[in-house]
Amino acid sequence: MKKFMPIILILLFVFNFTSVIYANDNFLNPSDINAESAILIDGNTGEILFEKNIDKKMYPASTTKILTGILAIENGNFNDMVTVDAETPYEIKGAHIALEPDEKINFEDLLNATLIESANDAAVVLAKHIGGSVEGFAKMMNDKAQDIGAKNSNFVNPNGLPDENHTTTAYDLAIITKYAMKNEKFREIVKNHQYTIEPTNKKTEQRHLHSSNKLLYGTSNINVDGKTVEIKYDDAIGVKTGYTDEAGQCLVSAVERDGRMLISVVLKSTGNNLWIDTHKLLDYGFNNFTTTILGFKNEFVKNIEIKNGNNSFVTGVNGKDVSITLPKGTKNSVTKNIILNDNLEAPISKGQVLGKIEYILNDEVITTSNIISTSDIKLMGVYASISNSSLFSNFYPWLLIGLPILFIIWSFSTIRKKIKKKKYATKSDITYKEKY
């Protein structure tokens, strides 16, 4: 048996080594993605799960219409009948729904045409209806993008047609999409790949719209990491494709499964690599990450010492439920660091923030939560007397009482000095007469 022990140990080492390699096989490298820029985020928390050139300025093509769509929903009226202006039908290139001058079309039809058919003419008509002009709407787009948290975007039109000044990033598109997907109407539209516009005053036939987002319906096969799968991705709920020669193939996708939402952005991919890249990103997210609960709202944290109070301590609890997307198997590696505010003293109000909890993984703070008080702590003794006195709790009584007192003291002091001076003068005069 002793003769075989070294061999057994070597075999165990090889087995463990290959197991580690296999465990890391699912790691996705930037080089595994064909696209020039890509990102995968948790659609609920915004955590970045994969990145490749996520802050590089790129041409977004029709993925621009995600921002156009959410702005239209938030600022438009679904009951409006919109009249097409005389210029737009003749100025638009690329995808369109053949709008005509003076055509009256429902606002909701224009919105669906923008997000499903990716109609450039519909997007511009919407922009003019809401913003007064393309320029006015572009300003609204940039303001909204900045409010959402976009850092490196500049939009000059509502449809994404080429312009050297019309750029965004994978990161910015991801957080814009995360914001948009919170809107039920937006979600309702982008999950569909078909829509019908009824006849208008200029069109006698229905217009049938079709989305180019094959992630929702595509039955063609692609090869993803050696496996043949359909382009359609289970549980996909949107959102938008895009293409121009300058931008290449672009796709922003959202998938919701078991309470989790993942959002991927792929910019400047080629051919079927667009779908392959997207599948790789989404597979990576679902296979390697899980939403982990780290804390619960009102969970006990610690008893915290309070100065000058009618109680010497207050119970501090977690201010919210804390959940975060983490690599599978890392939950037990997360540690907590409790940081209390300086000079905690009465009075303390119920719900007051007393400090924070830092959740740490691999020496990095991955999320935080406030520590809050569960009760009121009042001042005690002399501190309470001083605090409760109307004289000490309001500056104006002091001002109203103090100024007259100061004036009386000043007046008394002045009169006293005059009397003293007069007495001194009289005494000096008497002394002078006696002397001479």
Side-chain angles (χ1 to χ4, degrees):
M1 185 65 183
K2 289 182 179 179
K3 288 172 58 180
F4 294 105
M5 188 60 68
I7 297 173
I8 293 171
L9 290 173
I10 291 171
L11 288 173
L12 286 171
F13 173 79
V14 171
F15 175 77
N16 287 333
F17 181 72
T18 54
S19 295
V20 171
I21 292 175
Y22 180 76
N24 291 328
D25 262 353
N26 289 328
F27 182 76
L28 191 63
N29 287 299
S31 59
D32 296 327
I33 299 298
N34 171 267
E36 190 168 320
S37 175
I39 192 171
L40 178 71
I41 69 168
D42 184 295
N44 296 316
T45 66
E47 295 160 73
I48 299 173
L49 310 181
F50 173 88
E51 58 182 282
K52 178 181 179 180
N53 298 328
I54 63 172
D55 292 320
K56 183 176 181 178
K57 291 187 177 182
M58 307 288 291
Y59 295 120
S62 285
T63 60
T64 298
K65 294 174 178 127
I66 296 170
L67 182 56
T68 300
I70 191 62
L71 265 177
I73 290 170
E74 291 181 346
N75 295 277
N77 187 333
F78 279 73
N79 296 320
D80 280 353
M81 289 299 295
V82 182
T83 301
V84 178
D85 61 284
E87 295 80 20
T88 298
Y90 304 108
E91 294 174 345
I92 293 302
K93 299 177 182 178
H96 62 84
I97 56 169
L99 291 173
E100 297 186 26
D102 296 322
E103 182 173 1
K104 297 185 183 300
I105 186 165
N106 184 271
F107 176 91
E108 188 166 7
D109 289 340
L110 287 171
L111 183 60
N112 278 272
T114 298
L115 291 172
I116 295 177
E117 183 69 25
S118 197
N120 294 326
D121 52 355
V124 170
V125 171
L126 271 179
K128 290 180 177 179
H129 178 69
I130 294 169
S133 65
V134 168
E135 294 75 18
F137 190 77
K139 184 180 185 309
M140 292 175 65
M141 294 175 76
N142 288 316
D143 289 344
K144 187 67 177 181
Q146 190 172 17
D147 289 344
I148 292 170
K151 300 183 293 185
N152 295 292
S153 293
N154 186 65
F155 299 98
V156 300
N157 62 56
N159 47 35
L161 286 174
D163 187 298
E164 62 180 6
N165 296 313
H166 188 92
T167 58
T168 188
T169 66
Y171 174 82
D172 286 358
L173 271 179
I175 61 168
I176 289 170
T177 303
K178 174 180 175 288
Y179 173 85
M181 292 300 287
K182 292 178 181 178
N183 185 288
E184 287 301 320
K185 190 63 181 179
F186 183 90
R187 287 166 64 106
E188 178 188 321
I189 293 172
V190 297
K191 73 179 181 182
N192 296 322
H193 59 89
Q194 294 180 331
Y195 186 80
T196 299
I197 297 177
E198 297 299 326
T200 68
N201 63 320
K202 294 287 184 176
K203 291 287 193 289
T204 58
E205 296 181 355
Q206 292 179 327
R207 278 177 272 209
H208 299 285
L209 312 183
H210 301 277
S211 170
S212 58
N213 186 2
K214 295 180 182 179
L215 218 66
L216 298 171
Y217 61 85
T219 56
S220 300
N221 290 331
I222 54 176
N223 187 290
V224 182
D225 294 328
K227 296 179 182 178
T228 300
V229 298
E230 286 187 343
I231 290 177
K232 181 181 183 297
Y233 200 93
D234 290 342
D235 304 313
I237 54 172
V239 287
K240 192 73 192 72
T241 59
Y243 173 79
T244 64
D245 289 341
E246 294 82 357
Q249 298 281 0
C250 303
L251 176 62
V252 179
S253 309
V255 176
E256 196 165 44
R257 182 181 297 168
D258 299 327
R260 295 179 61 199
M261 184 195 298
L262 296 182
I263 294 172
S264 68
V265 178
V266 172
L267 299 177
K268 205 168 188 181
S269 192
T270 56
N272 274 343
N273 285 318
L274 178 71
W275 313 109
I276 296 170
D277 286 344
T278 300
H279 272 251
K280 284 183 177 181
L281 288 168
L282 294 169
D283 288 348
Y284 176 67
F286 284 116
N287 292 338
N288 293 280
F289 296 86
T290 184
T291 299
T292 304
I293 298 172
L294 299 178
F296 296 94
K297 186 175 182 179
N298 295 325
E299 177 184 17
F300 173 78
V301 177
K302 67 178 298 184
N303 290 323
I304 300 167
E305 184 179 348
I306 301 297
K307 298 176 182 177
N308 308 329
N310 60 339
N311 282 322
S312 58
F313 68 88
V314 67
T315 299
V317 297
N318 207 329
K320 65 177 182 180
D321 292 329
V322 182
S323 62
I324 189 170
T325 300
L326 294 174
K328 290 181 177 179
T330 62
K331 179 180 179 180
N332 292 335
S333 299
V334 176
T335 59
K336 291 190 288 188
N337 181 33
I338 295 174
I339 301 174
L340 298 178
N341 295 342
D342 295 332
N343 300 319
L344 286 173
E345 57 183 35
I348 298 290
S349 301
K350 183 178 180 179
Q352 181 175 328
V353 175
L354 306 174
K356 66 179 179 179
I357 307 168
E358 292 182 336
Y359 296 88
I360 300 169
L361 179 64
N362 297 329
D363 297 324
E364 291 187 9
V365 177
I366 54 175
T367 190
T368 62
S369 178
N370 286 333
I371 301 169
I372 63 172
S373 168
T374 58
S375 60
D376 296 327
I377 301 293
K378 298 178 181 178
L379 284 166
M380 69 171 185
V382 65
Y383 304 105
S385 300
I386 293 173
S387 176
N388 292 331
S389 170
S390 61
L391 293 177
F392 287 88
S393 62
N394 194 321
F395 172 75
Y396 294 104
W398 275 104
L399 190 64
L400 294 173
I401 296 171
L403 284 178
I405 291 173
L406 288 173
F407 178 76
I408 292 169
I409 292 171
W410 175 81
S411 299
F412 179 77
S413 178
T414 303
I415 293 169
R416 188 179 178 187
K417 285 180 181 179
K418 286 181 178 180
I419 293 171
K420 189 175 180 181
K421 186 177 181 181
K422 188 175 182 181
K423 284 183 177 180
Y424 178 78
T426 305
K427 186 177 180 181
S428 299
D429 187 54
I430 293 170
T431 304
Y432 175 82
K433 288 180 180 179
E434 288 178 350
K435 188 174 182 181
Y436 294 95

